[in-house]
Amino acid sequence: MAKYDPKSLKAEEFINDEEIRATLAYAEENKNNVELIDRILEKARPVKQGNGCVCAGLTHREAAVLLACEIPEKIERMYEIAEEIKLAFYGNRIVIFAPLYLSNYCVNGCVYCPYHLKNKHIARKKLTQEEVRAEVTALQDMGHKRLAIEAGEDPVNNPIEYIIDCINTIYSVHHKNGDIRRVNVNIAATTVENYRKLKEAGIGTYILFQETYHKESYETLHPTGPKHDYAYHTEAMDRAMEGGIDDVGLGVLFGLEMYKYEFAGLLMHAEHLEAVHGVGPHTISVPRVKRADDIDPGMFDNGIDDETFIKIAACIRLAVPYTGMIISTRESAEVRAKMLRVGISQVSGASRTSVGGYTEEERPHDTEQFDVSDQRTLDEVVSWLMDSGHIPSFCTACYRAGRTGDRFMSLCKSGQILNCCHPNALMTLAEYLEDYASPETKEKGYRMIEKELEKIPREKTREIARKNLEAIRSSNSRDFRF
Ligand code: SAM
């Protein structure tokens, strides 16, 4: 039987079934152990250090105890600390992005995904480079600066050369004052050589959802195609890092398996990356299975309610304080608002999950990957974020200044975030307001910028930020950053 070893490069050793089961048993035994729970909560709290803050994070066992705990006042405390951590490292900034679906050709048999090979009634489509340009122009016209590209797995229709061509095309489009400054990539597990090619093409984060950490379920849920190979999929992030990509994004598709099992697996994966590569995941996504063509989420018996979902997010926030957390438009505005409080730092906005969806007037459904719950426009999302005190940020500075991997974590810990990320968020918001916002959003946005500028501690930085904001307002000068 495989033995647990976070430093191992073998999937079954770093995501070890026996260790997960022992963790769940320990959590169950201790879910009412108030003394232990208080100690874990205390450990999770941010502590002042110099000008900044540090957080110890939690082990998968400690975090599992919190997730198992059902004592209402302790859960409330988890939410409070999650919010404290979020404010310490991410402030009130929320980064905005959009997915761009390149192709829904797929040779896999994933039973929860409408792109599965046997689905004969979904229209198959792959964007030409001309169509990529049109989609990117439409996305720029909304105000997007950051994309996550998505594609099915198909070595004939979507080989790595096609993905690289698309990335080059995306970066080459400069429509009016628009440009896409960061392309994150969500494609199937691949080889070190292909990851190197993605790195050379200038990608931001490589995102790959594990779907489920439970090996047997994984094999049943992916009955055919290359994705069937659990070890190859689970070890993908190690290959990505070997290929030079140091920002990787993890995720579980909640609803497929028991959430407590997934939660422990997810944190063990993060611990493994830290142990082997010295840097944890850049982001964690928390998608839930949605209705889609040929897919009824009711087919899976592990659906979770909103309360549990929010508790999972808060516990992730406590366990991996420096990792960004992403929520997509799979979730309603209501759920997204609650998730923002407990730790989410990135949201998608005005997403279309169909291939070629952004150039269509009406939301098309024929090639859609899943039903989008939050169907608001980007302007509505921006305005809504500001109404709840969040700064919508289109910032891509860290990655472009080479602050990836552990260099991003160092910035988090240094206390320089308010002199760096905060003005960057305000300047990119101003770009949005000038170039794309409705008059009401623009007015609201500038009121927010004025107020938020005062939070920049260093006077010199504040002055430069003011000057840059003035330039954005009075000319076509764009893309300032600290
Ligand atoms: N094809 C790539 C792969 O296999 O990893 C990645 C792209 S896929 C378009 C992105 C993600 O969508 C998948 O990893 C899966 O978690 C999610 N997804 C698939 N079907 C879904 C559904 N019915 N509801 C919600 N999310 C779904």
Side-chain angles (χ1 to χ4, degrees):
M1 196 187 278
K3 208 170 153 21
Y4 178 48
D5 177 4
K7 286 202 165 137
S8 164
L9 293 175
K10 284 202 190 120
E12 284 179 71
E13 291 177 355
F14 65 82
I15 305 294
N16 181 257
D17 180 64
E18 205 182 333
E19 171 59 20
I20 297 184
R21 289 181 195 283
T23 300
L24 300 189
Y26 173 77
E28 195 54 31
E29 260 163 49
N30 286 290
K31 67 179 188 186
N32 292 315
N33 182 344
V34 175
E35 202 188 309
L36 175 67
I37 290 165
D38 283 343
R39 241 185 297 136
I40 297 173
L41 286 170
E42 198 48 40
K43 181 185 170 196
R45 291 192 56 199
V47 180
K48 280 234 161 284
Q49 191 180 82
N51 289 330
C53 255
V54 288
C55 259
L58 299 177
T59 64
H60 61 273
R61 284 212 178 198
E62 291 166 335
V65 172
L66 296 188
L67 188 65
C69 165
E70 284 164 9
I71 307 167
E73 73 209 60
K74 300 297 170 202
I75 297 176
E76 206 34 58
R77 191 72 194 116
M78 289 174 214
Y79 293 171
E80 283 166 13
I81 299 174
E83 195 171 8
E84 259 181 60
I85 295 174
K86 185 184 161 199
L87 288 174
F89 300 123
Y90 287 91
N92 56 344
R93 298 173 301 281
I94 298 291
V95 166
I96 299 183
F97 74 98
L100 171 58
Y101 282 74
L102 301 177
S103 166
N104 63 1
Y105 282 94
C106 193
V107 296
N108 285 315
C110 316
V111 302
Y112 49 82
C113 180
Y115 293 175
H116 69 82
L117 183 65
K118 287 200 183 130
N119 187 355
K120 298 293 178 214
H121 39 85
I122 193 165
R124 299 289 168 173
K125 195 170 172 192
K126 166 186 167 180
L127 298 179
T128 62
Q129 296 310 308
E130 208 38 58
E131 287 167 331
V132 172
R133 254 185 291 280
E135 288 279 288
V136 172
T137 304
L139 283 155
Q140 290 185 5
D141 272 340
M142 287 184 213
H144 280 292
K145 298 280 186 270
R146 176 189 287 247
L147 301 182
I149 55 172
E150 313 272 341
E153 178 168 16
D154 185 328
V156 174
N157 286 299
N158 323 326
I160 195 73
E161 291 72 25
Y162 169 71
I163 304 290
I164 304 284
D165 282 351
C166 291
I167 296 170
N168 291 336
T169 301
I170 294 168
Y171 280 132
S172 75
V173 179
H174 303 286
H175 174 62
K176 298 185 181 163
N177 281 339
D179 53 357
I180 298 300
R181 299 171 182 160
R182 177 174 177 132
V183 178
N184 297 333
V185 174
N186 184 2
I187 60 164
T190 185
T191 59
V192 174
E193 195 190 326
N194 286 348
Y195 286 124
R196 202 163 282 129
K197 289 181 185 162
L198 289 171
K199 169 77 184 170
E200 280 161 14
I203 70 160
T205 312
Y206 171 65
I207 299 164
L208 180 68
F209 299 159
Q210 178 65 29
E211 322 300 5
T212 175
Y213 283 97
H214 189 284
K215 183 168 184 274
E216 262 170 53
S217 300
Y218 181 94
E219 288 170 350
T220 313
L221 291 160
H222 307 95
T224 53
K227 195 164 169 177
H228 178 72
D229 188 336
Y230 175 83
Y232 190 72
H233 187 79
T234 311
E235 293 159 9
M237 293 315 191
D238 297 293
R239 291 194 301 279
M241 286 189 159
E242 199 185 328
I245 298 173
D246 51 9
D247 281 350
V248 298
L250 303 181
V252 153
L253 188 52
F254 284 102
L256 300 180
E257 243 302 335
M258 274 167 36
Y259 72 91
K260 289 179 182 167
Y261 191 101
E262 304 294 19
F263 178 79
L266 181 66
L267 293 185
M268 283 162 72
H269 201 170
E271 286 166 9
H272 160 73
L273 296 177
E274 181 87 49
V276 175
H277 308 280
V279 54
H282 186 65
T283 55
I284 289 182
S285 301
V286 285
R288 284 195 284 191
V289 188
K290 294 279 303 178
R291 208 207 66 76
D293 180 75
D294 214 31
I295 309 294
D296 171 7
M299 295 193 297
F300 311 100
D301 349 331
N302 292 299
I304 45 173
D305 59 28
D306 293 350
E307 275 312 306
T308 308
F309 190 47
I310 291 158
K311 189 174 170 198
I312 292 170
C315 290
I316 295 175
R317 180 68 303 145
L318 267 53
V320 284
Y322 303 109
T323 298
M325 284 176 66
I326 303 179
I327 193 137
S328 76
T329 54
R330 289 178 182 85
E331 300 298 334
S332 66
E334 213 186 328
V335 170
R336 285 178 11 126
K338 288 188 186 149
M339 294 289 272
L340 287 179
R341 234 200 87 193
V342 297
I344 293 293
S345 53
Q346 287 190 32
V347 300
S348 48
S351 304
R352 297 225 166 153
T353 63
S354 44
V355 182
Y358 294 106
T359 36
E360 305 275 341
E361 190 75 27
E362 288 288 317
R363 180 178 292 277
H365 295 292
D366 59 335
T367 64
E368 208 171 37
Q369 199 200 7
F370 52 79
D371 279 1
V372 167
S373 292
D374 185 343
Q375 303 202 355
R376 293 172 297 178
T377 63
L378 188 58
D379 195 71
E380 286 166 340
V381 172
V382 165
S383 173
W384 162 77
L385 284 171
M386 295 193 291
D387 286 340
S388 56
H390 296 99
I391 307 172
S393 172
F394 294 88
C395 181
T396 52
C398 272
Y399 141 81
R400 293 160 79 221
R403 289 190 294 263
T404 56
D406 54 354
R407 278 151 293 179
F408 168 74
M409 311 281 170
S410 315
L411 177 73
C412 266
K413 294 174 190 170
S414 69
Q416 285 310 307
I417 282 211
L418 276 175
N419 282 317
C420 188
C421 305
H422 198 71
N424 285 341
L426 298 179
M427 293 187 297
T428 56
L429 173 60
E431 290 185 347
Y432 175 82
L433 300 177
E434 280 307 316
D435 295 335
Y436 310 104
S438 65
E440 303 79 58
T441 303
K442 187 169 175 177
E443 200 199 314
K444 199 185 287 182
Y446 274 117
R447 259 189 279 130
M448 171 166 244
I449 289 174
E450 223 17 77
K451 208 172 85 205
E452 293 288 336
L453 264 172
E454 296 311 314
K455 289 191 190 161
I456 302 173
R458 200 191 296 135
E459 203 184 322
K460 182 90 189 130
T461 308
R462 215 180 317 132
E463 248 173 57
I464 299 172
R466 268 193 197 284
K467 237 175 58 213
N468 294 346
L469 284 164
E470 194 40 53
I472 292 167
R473 212 168 182 163
S474 59
S475 71
N476 278 331
S477 303
R478 298 288 179 268
D479 202 12
F480 296 99
R481 62 172 188 262
F482 288 95

